[in-house]
Amino acid sequence: MTVAFVLGGGGVRGAVEIGMLRALLESGIHPDVVVGTSIGAINGALVASDPTPAVIPRLLDAWTSPEANAVYGDSLFAQFTRLVKTKTHLNSPAPLRHLLERSLGADTTFEDLAVRLRVVAASIERAAEHVFESGPLVEAILASASVPGLLPPTRIGDEHFIDGGIVNSIPIEQAVEVGATTVYVLQVGRIETPLVAPQSAVDTARVAFEIARRHRYARDVATLPEGVALHVLPSGGGLDGDDSLMSYRRMDTVRRRIDAAYDASCAFLAERGLGAESGDS
C-alpha cells in the first residue's frame, strides 16, 4: 500500500491542514508521498521533511511567526503604493521567502526530504500545470504559492509561475500518477459548502472562481482508478467572514481553524476505523 497526503490550496484557511496532519500522524498514518498546491505546498513540504508528529510544532511555529504575519500584513497604503509601482501585485514575496528559508533551509532540495514531494504550480508561458519534484525546494514552493495580484509571479529559468490553485487546487491526480493506493485529501473546507446562484457582483466572481477551482477536483474523484481508496478529511467548518475579500489577512483565526479541523478529523478517522490499530498506516 502506498499512502499519499494531498494538501489543497486555500490561503489562511490552509491552517486547517495542521489539525488534519496532527490527527493523521497521531493515528499512526504516515505518507509515502506528499502532493501540495499553494498553501498546501508549504504545509506539505514541512511534513515531507519530517512525516512524524514532531513536525506539528514546526508547522505551528511557521504559521504564528512574524514572517507569516508579514506575508499579507502590509498596511493598505503600503499595498496600494506597491501596486502603483509594480502594476502587478500588492505584497512583497520577501516575507514568504524568509519564512520558507527559516522553516525548510535555504539550500534544501526535494532530494533531501524524508518522503517524496510533488508541488503543483501554473506556468504562464505554457498556460499549463507544472509539477516540481526535484531540485531547489524553496523556489518551487514560492512558485506554487504566488497568488495572482497578491504576489508577483516566480521566475525559474526562462519561465514564470503562479499559484498552483489556478490549474489544480486539490491535486489528487498527481498522487495517483505515482502509484498511491490510499489517498488522504486535506482540503480547506470550500468543497464542503454548496454553491448557490450569486446575488451580487462579489458573489458572481466568487462563484465563478469556485466552479473553476472545483471542476478539476470533481473530475479526479469521478475518474479515480479502481483500487484507490480516497478519504477526504473534514475541515471542521468555516468561520464568519470567510467569504470577505479581506479574509486572506485574518491570521487571528489560525488556532481556531487548527483545533476545529483536528477534532473533526480525529472523529472522522475513528468512525472509519482508520489508523494504526486497523493496519492502515
Side-chain angles (χ1 to χ4, degrees):
M1 179 174 63
T2 300
V3 175
F5 288 1
V6 174
L7 293 85
V12 70
R13 294 176 70 164
V16 301
E17 294 173 352
I18 302 177
M20 296 171 179
L21 287 167
R22 181 185 169 197
L24 287 166
L25 297 172
E26 288 182 353
S27 296
I29 301 170
H30 304 279
D32 300 299
V33 60
V34 177
V35 185
T37 289
S38 194
I39 192 64
I42 298 173
N43 292 335
L46 278 159
V47 77
S49 72
D50 181 8
T52 74
V55 77
I56 300 303
R58 290 177 57 200
L59 281 160
L60 286 169
D61 176 69
W63 271 84
T64 58
S65 66
E67 294 96 334
N69 281 287
V71 171
Y72 299 131
D74 275 348
S75 68
L76 295 179
F77 176 78
Q79 290 182 320
F80 178 75
T81 300
R82 185 175 290 109
L83 179 61
V84 170
K85 180 179 179 180
T86 66
K87 299 181 175 63
T88 60
H89 57 278
L90 293 168
N91 298 281
S92 167
L96 180 56
R97 179 182 290 278
H98 294 159
L99 171 63
L100 295 174
E101 290 180 347
R102 183 175 68 83
S103 300
L104 296 165
D107 299 319
T108 300
T109 66
F110 281 81
E111 290 79 5
D112 295 325
L113 300 174
V115 299
R116 184 174 185 176
L117 174 68
R118 310 190 87 200
V119 169
V120 176
S123 165
I124 292 177
E125 285 80 4
R126 289 183 289 113
E129 181 175 354
H130 182 86
V131 178
F132 292 97
E133 53 186 334
S134 64
L137 183 61
V138 168
E139 292 300 318
I141 298 173
L142 278 171
S144 181
S146 293
V147 182
L150 297 182
L151 295 170
T154 298
R155 180 172 180 172
I156 299 178
D158 294 327
E159 273 188 276
H160 296 81
F161 297 91
I162 57 175
D163 195 291
I166 298 297
V167 289
N168 201 345
S169 184
I170 304 176
I172 295 171
E173 182 181 6
Q174 300 301 345
V176 173
E177 187 176 84
V178 294
T181 54
T182 300
V183 178
Y184 290 91
V185 171
L186 289 72
Q187 50 82 36
V188 304
R190 289 192 174 98
I191 60 172
E192 300 168 351
T193 306
L195 292 179
V196 297
Q199 302 297 318
S200 68
V202 171
D203 272 354
T204 299
R206 181 182 59 81
V207 168
F209 184 69
E210 280 302 310
I211 292 172
R213 183 202 303 271
R214 297 186 197 186
H215 88 280
R216 175 70 178 271
Y217 169 77
R219 190 205 72 179
D220 284 357
V221 171
T223 59
L224 198 69
E226 186 177 350
V228 176
L230 185 72
H231 306 291
V232 181
L233 298 181
S235 70
L239 300 176
D240 289 342
D242 277 349
D243 289 334
S244 165
L245 292 176
M246 301 302 291
S247 63
Y248 72 94
R249 295 168 62 95
R250 297 180 61 199
M251 295 303 293
D252 61 305
T253 63
V254 165
R255 291 194 178 274
R256 281 184 287 162
R257 294 184 193 278
I258 293 171
D259 291 344
Y262 174 71
D263 291 341
S265 295
C266 284
F268 175 91
L269 296 173
E271 288 168 4
R272 288 158 179 77
L274 299 170
E277 291 185 1
S278 68
D280 190 6
S281 59

